[in-house]
């Protein structure tokens, strides 16, 4: 069953890539599995009251594990594709990978994770948070900022009801403590949101060049080093191709940083649906007099999530 969860999650990703209408159906099925998990306690009590049949606890624990497996292996490929690996996003994606492996290994999942109530709730909330980040743009055409806020709020609200059965009777004091822990998690996630890959967006290409073919919408030769005189004379194009789901309109920003300090922010809008990514560029001409140093161009969303980055060096004029 663990192998099935792994394979079906990966298959879902490739089906989503090929057919976005199918992606919406898969997203609905994923949400229905979580709806069942959230309502499970009330459904189980209703079945007992009406039919007198009591679902064995082992079956319910197994169903919870399967939802975790399916969710993590469905969302993980999206985050792997969207992660900027030379950035703090590496931490978030590695955390998801670790959670996915834990969900596969029964001795760790049942004997180490499940008995630790607070840790299990955090695991559950993180899994739901990742699912909502992926499915919200697919189903509702929300931009990354809206998806992030929605995912934080719903993961916070729906984590506790679905896990009420895991709080032992007589340990009522654990509920406010776990609630506080979830609020702290949500607040912390918002503060470090640039470390959370925008699962609905993917940088397919980023190029810095001093030439741009406007008809073909293609850049010239890529630049990694440039003399300051040439930079001031011709400026620099930042060309990006960002893949987004069909129907999604997103505002992104090109941030120009010199030695870690932001010196300019240029805004543009992208439209989803193109397989190779929506191609757009900005042309920066206004550089500071003392432009020598290490530069970065970061592509970020309105909410501050990083889509991708590139670096270049401005060298002193040759004599």
């Amino acid at each position: 069953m663990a192998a099935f969860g792994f394979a079906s999650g990966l298959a879902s990703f490739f089906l989503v890539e090929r057919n976005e209408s199918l992606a919406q159906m898969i997203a609905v099925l994923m949400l229905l599995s979580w709806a069942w998990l959230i309502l499970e306690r009330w459904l189980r009590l209703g079945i007992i009251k009406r039919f007198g049949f009591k679902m064995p606890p082992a079956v319910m624990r197994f169903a919870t594990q399967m939802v975790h497996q399916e969710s993590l292996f469905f969302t993980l490929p999206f985050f792997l594709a969207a992660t900027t690996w030379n950035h703090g996003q590496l931490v978030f994606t590695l955390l998801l990978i670790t959670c996915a492996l834990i969900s596969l290994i029964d001795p760790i999942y049942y004997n180490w994770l499940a008995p630790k109530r607070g840790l299990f709730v955090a695991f559950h909330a993180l899994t739901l948070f990742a699912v909502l980040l992926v499915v919200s743009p697919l189903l509702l055409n929300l931009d990354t900022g809206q998806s992030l806020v929605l995912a934080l709020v719903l993961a916070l609200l729906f984590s506790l009801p679905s896990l009420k059965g895991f709080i032992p009777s007589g340990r009522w004091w654990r509920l406010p403590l776990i609630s506080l822990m979830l609020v702290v998690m949500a607040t912390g996630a918002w503060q470090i949101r640039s470390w959370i890959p925008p699962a609905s967006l993917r940088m397919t290409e980023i190029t810095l060049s001093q030439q741009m073919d406007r008809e073909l919408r293609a850049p010239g030769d890529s630049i990694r080093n440039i003399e300051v005189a040439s930079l001031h004379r011709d400026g620099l194009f930042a060309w990006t191709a960002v893949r987004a789901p069909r129907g999604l309109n997103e505002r992104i920003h090109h941030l120009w940083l010199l030695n870690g300090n932001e010196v300019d922010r240029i805004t543009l809008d992208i439209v989803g649906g193109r397989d190779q990514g929506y191609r757009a560029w900005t042309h920066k001409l206004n550089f500071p007099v003392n432009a020598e140093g290490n530069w970065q161009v970061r592509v970020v969303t309105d909410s501050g999530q990083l889509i991708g980055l590139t670096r270049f060096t401005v060298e002193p004029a040759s004599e």
Side-chain angles (χ1 to χ4, degrees), residues 42-281:
W42 290 276
L43 293 174
R44 179 162 48 86
L45 292 176
I47 291 173
I48 293 174
K49 184 177 179 179
R50 185 171 180 84
F51 301 104
F53 175 72
K54 186 176 181 180
M55 189 76 69
V59 174
M60 304 314 303
R61 288 195 297 267
F62 178 74
T64 301
Q65 182 190 19
M66 282 301 299
V67 172
H68 287 158
Q69 288 179 357
E70 288 285 340
S71 300
L72 287 165
F73 283 104
F74 168 70
T75 59
L76 191 55
F78 290 91
F79 287 102
L80 289 172
T83 297
T84 301
W85 295 99
N86 56 350
H87 185 264
Q89 291 180 349
L90 169 71
V91 176
F92 182 86
T93 304
L94 287 179
L95 180 61
L96 283 185
I97 293 173
T98 302
C99 290
L101 291 175
I102 288 173
S103 73
L104 287 178
I105 305 172
D106 289 353
I108 297 177
Y109 183 86
Y110 289 111
N111 299 333
W112 177 77
L113 178 67
K116 297 177 173 61
R117 307 299 178 181
L119 192 59
F120 190 81
V121 172
F123 177 94
H124 185 81
L126 177 63
T127 304
L128 177 57
F129 175 65
V131 169
L132 291 169
L133 283 178
V134 172
V135 302
S136 297
L138 293 175
L139 291 179
L140 305 175
N141 286 335
L142 299 180
D143 63 32
T144 53
Q146 294 167 334
S147 298
L148 181 60
V149 172
L150 181 67
L152 286 172
V153 172
L154 293 185
L156 184 64
L157 291 177
F158 292 148
S159 290
L160 285 176
S162 61
L163 290 172
K164 190 174 181 180
F166 287 90
I167 305 295
S169 58
R171 303 289 181 89
W172 61 267
W173 49 268
R174 285 188 174 182
L175 193 60
L177 285 179
I178 291 177
S179 300
L180 178 61
M181 179 195 70
L182 289 173
V183 171
V184 171
M185 283 179 59
T187 304
W190 179 258
Q191 293 299 320
I192 61 169
R193 56 190 178 276
S194 66
W195 285 24
I196 301 173
S200 59
L201 301 176
R202 185 192 317 165
M203 181 74 69
T204 58
E205 192 172 350
I206 180 169
T207 302
L208 298 173
S209 179
Q210 287 192 294
Q211 295 86 35
M212 180 65 60
D213 188 325
R214 296 179 182 272
E215 291 186 2
L216 296 177
R217 300 174 66 87
D221 294 335
S222 177
I223 288 176
R224 285 291 177 266
N225 298 279
I226 185 172
E227 289 189 0
V228 65
S230 177
L231 182 71
H232 283 140
R233 182 181 65 249
D234 300 321
L236 203 57
F237 289 93
W239 184 91
T240 54
V242 179
R243 194 179 190 282
R246 190 176 306 279
L248 182 66
N249 295 310
E250 182 91 23
R251 176 176 293 177
I252 66 173
H253 308 272
H254 287 180
L255 304 187
W256 296 75
L257 297 93
L258 172 59
N259 298 324
N261 300 312
E262 183 179 332
V263 298
D264 205 354
R265 176 187 292 253
I266 305 176
T267 301
L268 48 90
D269 296 315
I270 63 171
V271 179
R274 192 172 185 274
D275 290 340
Q276 292 78 19
Y278 185 86
R279 297 171 295 176
W281 63 86

Side-chain angles (χ1 to χ4, degrees), residues 294-312:
N294 298 316
W295 285 78
Q296 280 188 26
V297 177
R298 296 187 181 185
V299 184
V300 301
T301 67
D302 257 349
S303 60
Q305 290 176 267
L306 180 70
I307 305 173
L309 62 84
T310 188
R311 296 179 172 87
F312 68 100

